Structure formats: structure tokens, C-alpha cells
Amino acid sequence: MIVAILIRAYLKIRRLFHADPYAGRIKDLPFGLILKMGSSSTAAEATTVEFIRSNTTIPVPRVVASDRAFGRTYMIMQEVEGRDLQYMWPNLDVDQRAKVVDQLRSYVAQLRLLSPSLSRGHQAGAVCGLHYTPTRNSRIASARPTPPFPNEGAFNDFLISVAAPYMDETNLPGIRARMRDDHRICFTHGDLAPRNIMVKGDEVTAIIDWEEAGWYPEHWELVKAMWSTIKDPDWHEAVKLIIGGNYEAEWMLDRELSDHMVGAL
């Protein structure tokens, strides 16, 4: 509560000296700090970032403070070095791209090795946020949180239900019948797009924006990365190398749903 009060006071002072409303979700603060504000998921993201920092070698922002009050959540982080990969990718040569891909492949592998036993209250096979919490997933529910699902079958049923208003319902049973309910459940970043990967030259300095992270079926990292990424064939191939495995069938099956839903929710 104290952190939230101080942040609100700071924002009010800023409004006095700036003509434009100070209402964005990400703001620069003095002393190399970054403020991220949200309606529900930002505090959960702070917990996730600390979880990743404690259990992997993945470079993530250092969280200075987080708080929840006044109907909003707040997270203050130290600024990370580098530029986002979306800006840098076109300027990297073949060797530099390969080095970035190798680092990211190592980091994704670490995520997939995390044990659900590290997550409090986790139920075996559940699709959920860290510590069996709701998730935020822009692919299936825009900004609305989705509840924990006890298993992949329930998660797949939900995917079908949110697609139903935008599709011929006679096609949905056939799609559902082709969806597997027995994938391994892995910890997943959930938005591994170039805009969320910070690099300095060919060194990955941080992976940011963990608000859609959670425990998902093993193919979901690829599905989300291909759904929300830049339209660059070279990056599409890089994503497949980074995540590994063969999830082409799952990706194409999900597209039968998601291609009808872009911008719908």
C-alpha cells in the first residue's frame, strides 16, 4: 500500500507539469527505474519474474517493488540494457542471429525443466498461472483473466468455447476431436515475441513481459510465439529452433481457431 501511495503521488505531480495525460502502462522513472501499471496482472508478473530469477539463469528485469491498491497493480523494475530484438533482428548477420537463437533455446529449455512442485498449490496436470492462479492470455481472452484449468482437456474445451461465436459451430466438434489432451505441461513465457527480448549486439540481456506466463501444454510456447510475432520468415524458422520439438500439427490446428479470432476479443 505504501508503494502504491507514493506512486500515485508521483503521477499526480507529473500531471501538473505535463500537458498530456500520464496514463500509459509503462513509464520511465528517475534513477534508471521503470514503472509498469496494470489492472490485475502486474503484481502477478512481479512474482513470476522473481520465480524465474530464483530458479533459472534466464536474464530478467530486477524487480525493486510491487504493490496492489486503488484497483491497480504496480511494479517498479530496474531498466535493462540493450534494444528489443524486433528493432535489432534485421541488422544482425547470420552468425549473430545464430548466437541469439542459441541463448534463447537454452533459456526456453530451462523453463521447460522447471518442476510444478516449485509452484504452491499446483495440481498435477493443471493449466494455470504460477501458484495455481488465473492467467492472462491475449490469444484466447484478450485482457480478461482466464481461470486455472484442472487439465489440458478443460483448457482445450475453453479454446473451443471462445472460438464458437466467430465460427460455424458445425466445424468445432471435428477440430476438438483432433486436439490432444495428453501433452506435457511446461512452464511457458507465453509471449516470446522479439519485442520482449532485449539484446545488446548478439547477447540477450533480458527477457521481459512475463504477464502471460504460466503452466501450459508443451506446444503452447510455439503457438503463441507464431501467433504474436513479427512477419519475418527467418524469425519464424528461428522460433522453431528456439522451442524445439515438432509442434507443426498443433500450430496448424490452433490456426483453424485463432485465424477466425484475431481482433475479435
Side-chain angles (χ1 to χ4, degrees), residues 135-146 155-167 172 175 179 190-191 195 211-212 216 219-229 250-265:
T135 60
R136 178 182 179 273
N137 197 310
S138 55
R139 151 68 182 82
I140 58 177
S142 188
R144 291 179 290 131
T146 57
F155 175 67
N156 285 338
D157 289 343
F158 185 76
L159 294 181
I160 294 293
S161 71
V162 296
Y166 311 102
M167 297 181 64
L172 293 176
I175 294 175
M179 299 170 77
D191 195 9
R195 66 179 180 276
E211 61 188 330
E212 299 199 17
Y216 284 96
H219 63 284
W220 197 249
E221 193 81 88
L222 177 72
V223 167
K224 282 297 303 296
M226 298 295 278
W227 179 78
S228 60
T229 193
E250 287 90 342
W251 173 46
M252 296 307 295
L253 184 59
D254 187 78
R255 285 193 59 181
E256 293 187 43
L257 298 174
S258 61
D259 282 359
H260 292 275
M261 296 173 59
V262 174
L265 295 175

Side-chain angles (χ1 to χ4, degrees), residues 8-231:
R8 280 172 65 87
Y10 174 79
L11 297 182
K12 288 181 179 179
I13 292 170
R14 286 293 297 263
R15 289 194 191 101
L16 295 176
F17 294 96
H18 294 270
D20 295 331
Y22 192 72
R25 294 183 65 241
I26 305 290
K27 291 297 177 184
D28 293 332
L29 299 179
F31 312 113
L33 299 176
I34 302 292
L35 168 65
K36 185 171 184 177
M37 297 175 288
S39 58
S40 62
S41 59
T42 304
E45 182 182 0
T47 301
T48 299
V49 169
E50 289 304 299
F51 174 76
I52 297 302
R53 177 179 291 280
S54 298
N55 293 286
T56 74
T57 63
I58 298 170
V60 294
R62 186 171 295 279
V63 176
V64 176
S66 64
D67 205 351
R68 184 192 304 270
F70 312 111
R72 297 181 68 85
T73 56
Y74 308 87
M75 177 170 61
I76 299 176
M77 306 168 284
Q78 290 182 350
E79 186 176 12
V80 298
E81 290 188 288
R83 299 287 301 272
D84 68 79
L85 187 59
Q86 182 164 288
Y87 175 82
M88 296 298 297
W89 181 257
N91 303 314
L92 299 180
D93 62 32
V94 173
D95 290 340
Q96 289 175 313
R97 288 184 176 187
K99 290 179 181 178
V100 169
V101 167
D102 283 346
Q103 292 167 76
L104 293 174
R105 181 166 53 217
S106 169
Y107 297 148
V108 169
Q110 289 188 55
L111 287 182
R112 296 163 91 78
L113 288 174
L114 288 170
S115 171
S117 65
L118 298 170
S119 182
R120 295 190 304 275
H122 191 87
Q123 301 179 18
V127 177
C128 57
L130 185 65
H131 308 317
Y132 201 70
T133 57
T135 60
R136 178 182 179 273
N137 197 310
S138 55
R139 151 68 182 82
I140 58 177
S142 188
R144 291 179 290 131
T146 57
F149 301 96
N151 50 54
E152 184 179 3
F155 175 67
N156 285 338
D157 289 343
F158 185 76
L159 294 181
I160 294 293
S161 71
V162 296
Y166 311 102
M167 297 181 64
D168 180 348
E169 290 193 15
T170 61
N171 294 328
L172 293 176
I175 294 175
R176 180 64 183 93
R178 287 180 283 138
M179 299 170 77
R180 286 175 49 190
D181 294 340
D182 60 350
H183 288 96
R184 183 166 60 103
I185 304 301
C186 305
F187 201 81
T188 301
H189 178 276
D191 195 9
L192 200 62
R195 66 179 180 276
N196 293 327
I197 301 165
M198 305 298 292
V199 297
K200 186 175 182 181
D202 55 18
E203 177 189 358
V204 177
T205 57
I207 297 178
I208 63 173
D209 201 0
W210 291 82
E211 61 188 330
E212 299 199 17
W215 301 97
Y216 284 96
E218 60 189 289
H219 63 284
W220 197 249
E221 193 81 88
L222 177 72
V223 167
K224 282 297 303 296
M226 298 295 278
W227 179 78
S228 60
T229 193
I230 56 177
K231 308 305 179 184

